[in-house]
Amino acid sequence: MRIIGGTLRGLRLNPPKNLPVRPTTDLAKEALFNILQNQIDFEGIRVLDLFSGTGNISMEFASRGAEQVVSVDRSVHCVHYLKDSARQHGLDQIKVYKDDIFKYLQLETEKFDVVFADPPYDLNRIPDIPKIIFDKNTLLPGGLLIMEHQSLQNLSNHPAFVEQRKYGHSSFSFFKNTD
């Protein structure tokens, strides 16, 4: 696992083997950020990273100039690892919280330019995430929700759905706030 762009480009991340995660592969992450690079200006954006795990995606956004990255995971070990990594590399814009994602979303009142969610593939509430994000008005106008999920899963029935990009067994579904 490595940071592929920005000020920390090339940095290798070596999380402990015992973390309960399935990190986004470098290939999929590189493809995702190539897509995003053509759609958004990373400088100064606000990002919410749900199910942040190792913080691989949070650190990528911070490395590319995001003003604020809020990372949420329910694993205390993942939270400690990301906090330590952010501190070690001077990424003060990353704020890490240990919480259940669904409880967090019910209480969150801030708005974000990008929400990235990479839930466990076996989570039965994956289709609820776009609904909650849009019902709670979590995205700023023009903001993007990106969901990483199994390629067999189809999330296109949400009205804000834009497209799905497949990378082997993993896919990214994009949703846009057109308000």
Side-chain angles (χ1 to χ4, degrees):
M1 220 179 355
R2 64 186 170 85
I3 302 298
I4 56 174
T7 58
L8 297 177
R9 180 183 183 149
L11 174 70
R12 291 221 170 268
L13 302 174
N14 297 304
K17 301 253 186 264
N18 64 344
L19 294 183
V21 296
R22 174 202 31 79
T24 302
T25 65
D26 283 353
L27 176 69
K29 184 170 70 165
E30 192 161 359
L32 171 65
F33 278 87
N34 283 340
I35 293 166
L36 293 178
Q37 189 170 303
N38 294 316
Q39 294 183 19
I40 61 175
D41 180 5
F42 294 104
E43 285 293 321
I45 65 169
R46 297 167 47 99
V47 177
L48 175 60
D49 184 3
L50 301 171
F51 307 94
S52 60
T54 62
N56 178 19
I57 298 294
S58 293
M59 291 182 67
E60 190 72 46
F61 274 109
S63 175
R64 292 168 181 257
E67 177 181 309
Q68 179 186 24
V69 181
V70 175
S71 307
V72 185
D73 200 279
R74 71 177 184 183
S75 164
V76 68
H77 302 294
C78 289
V79 166
H80 287 310
Y81 175 75
L82 179 51
K83 281 183 178 181
D84 291 344
S85 296
R87 191 176 319 109
Q88 179 183 353
H89 298 290
L91 300 174
D92 298 332
Q93 69 270 54
I94 297 178
K95 305 299 179 219
V96 188
Y97 299 99
K98 181 197 175 305
D99 205 346
D100 173 86
I101 275 58
F102 295 100
K103 288 179 185 171
Y104 180 86
L105 285 173
Q106 290 306 320
L107 299 174
E108 179 58 66
T109 57
E110 288 189 63
K111 296 185 185 310
F112 298 90
D113 298 288
V114 175
V115 175
F116 181 83
D118 183 9
Y121 283 179
D122 62 352
L123 182 72
N124 61 356
R125 293 191 65 192
I126 289 175
D128 294 345
I129 296 169
K131 180 178 178 0
I132 294 167
I133 296 289
F134 283 90
D135 287 352
K136 291 281 294 172
N137 205 18
T138 305
L139 287 170
L140 289 163
L144 282 175
L145 165 62
I146 305 151
M147 297 278 304
E148 185 172 347
H149 57 88
Q150 285 182 334
S151 289
L152 297 175
Q153 188 164 31
N154 183 346
L155 301 176
S156 66
N157 60 350
H158 191 279
F161 177 83
V162 176
E163 70 175 318
Q164 179 177 338
R165 299 275 185 108
K166 296 181 182 182
Y167 300 94
H169 296 294
S170 296
S171 282
F172 296 111
S173 284
F174 296 84
F175 304 80
K176 188 161 183 118
N177 182 5
T178 56
D179 289 349

